[in-house]
Amino acid sequence: MLPVFLRDLWNVGRVRIGVPQPVEPDARSEAAELLADLEQAYRLALPGEPPAFDSEAAIWAAVSFYSAAALVINRDFGEGEFPTLFGQNLPDKASAGTHYSVDLTMRFLPDLIKLAKSAATDDPLVKRLMEWAVAWPLSSVGVDLVGQVDTTSIRTSPTLMRLYVDRVIATSDYSRLDDDWVVEMVKETLGHYPQLCPSIATHLETH
């Protein structure tokens, strides 16, 4: 059930998952309340003022991630299940608030992608997860072979850009250094202490 999954994901880091199936309205409503509570606590731990919370984007991400996790474990279910489990359309990627709200759950996307790729690297589920990685750059820092991402939307929020840059440094994700804006912020963050992340500092020497 989605609410139990979310509680375990956030509080324990280990989850139990059943077969893929649509989330019932009552479970969605309970999950939406959980997401709102999580966001309030999470907001207080971030530097500055995060964007406004978008509950619809948050529940889309939670349901999609939950369904994807079920599909990773139950590989007999195929691409034909995607429209029912994920829906057809992504939330509005032009809004910083959407990226922030999606990230409440999708920040665990790198781990899910690793798990999915350990079973198969070229199946439709991995492709869909990688599409999300491109769509939600804040959440996908550290994922290999994502390619070019667009950080335009999250740049409008200093808090999200700080979170993004901190993740780039923490994961030594060199691929994100193809963005001059990010390069300058990483340099500013490391300042006179490149030894805090020597691998990133080495790559910065080429910029």
Side-chain angles (χ1 to χ4, degrees):
M1 185 176 179
L2 178 59
V4 174
F5 174 87
L6 294 176
R7 288 192 187 97
D8 289 345
L9 183 65
W10 299 329
N11 298 326
V12 182
R14 300 176 65 182
V15 297
R16 290 174 292 178
I17 194 75
V19 297
Q21 56 186 325
V23 176
E24 296 295 328
D26 287 349
R28 289 177 69 97
S29 296
E30 185 179 345
E33 293 179 4
L34 282 173
L35 287 161
D37 290 342
L38 171 72
E39 190 276 329
Q40 286 297 312
Y42 187 58
R43 172 177 292 268
L44 295 176
L46 293 175
E49 181 67 20
F53 176 60
D54 182 336
S55 60
E56 289 298 320
I59 194 65
W60 172 86
V63 170
S64 296
F65 188 92
Y66 170 71
S67 298
L71 289 168
V72 166
I73 300 303
N74 298 275
R75 305 299 280 208
D76 291 339
F77 289 79
E79 190 174 4
E81 305 293 330
F82 290 4
T84 300
L85 296 173
F86 300 142
Q88 297 291 339
N89 300 312
L90 296 179
D92 178 17
K93 294 185 293 180
S95 166
T98 301
H99 286 264
Y100 168 64
S101 304
V102 164
D103 187 62
L104 291 174
T105 304
M106 285 293 182
R107 57 195 163 116
F108 299 101
L109 182 61
D111 292 331
L112 186 61
I113 289 176
K114 287 180 182 177
L115 184 60
K117 285 185 174 181
S118 69
T121 60
D122 58 352
D123 71 355
L125 178 58
V126 171
K127 180 180 178 182
R128 178 60 60 92
L129 295 178
M130 293 302 289
E131 289 172 354
W132 291 348
V134 174
W136 311 113
L138 176 63
S139 304
S140 64
V141 176
V143 176
D144 292 334
L145 304 176
V146 172
Q148 187 74 33
V149 297
D150 183 1
T151 61
T152 302
S153 297
I154 63 175
R155 287 181 192 175
T156 62
S157 167
T159 296
L160 293 192
M161 279 306 295
R162 173 55 54 205
L163 183 59
Y164 181 77
V165 167
D166 286 348
R167 290 178 181 179
V168 169
I169 294 172
T171 61
S172 296
D173 190 343
Y174 318 129
S175 68
R176 304 304 172 101
L177 298 180
D178 61 356
D179 185 326
D180 291 340
W181 187 291
V182 175
V183 168
E184 291 307 311
M185 287 198 67
V186 169
K187 288 180 177 178
E188 179 183 332
T189 300
L190 292 178
H192 298 294
Y193 303 97
Q195 67 272 20
L196 294 176
C197 189
S199 56
I200 283 285
T202 297
H203 280 261
L204 286 177
E205 291 176 358
T206 64
H207 291 273

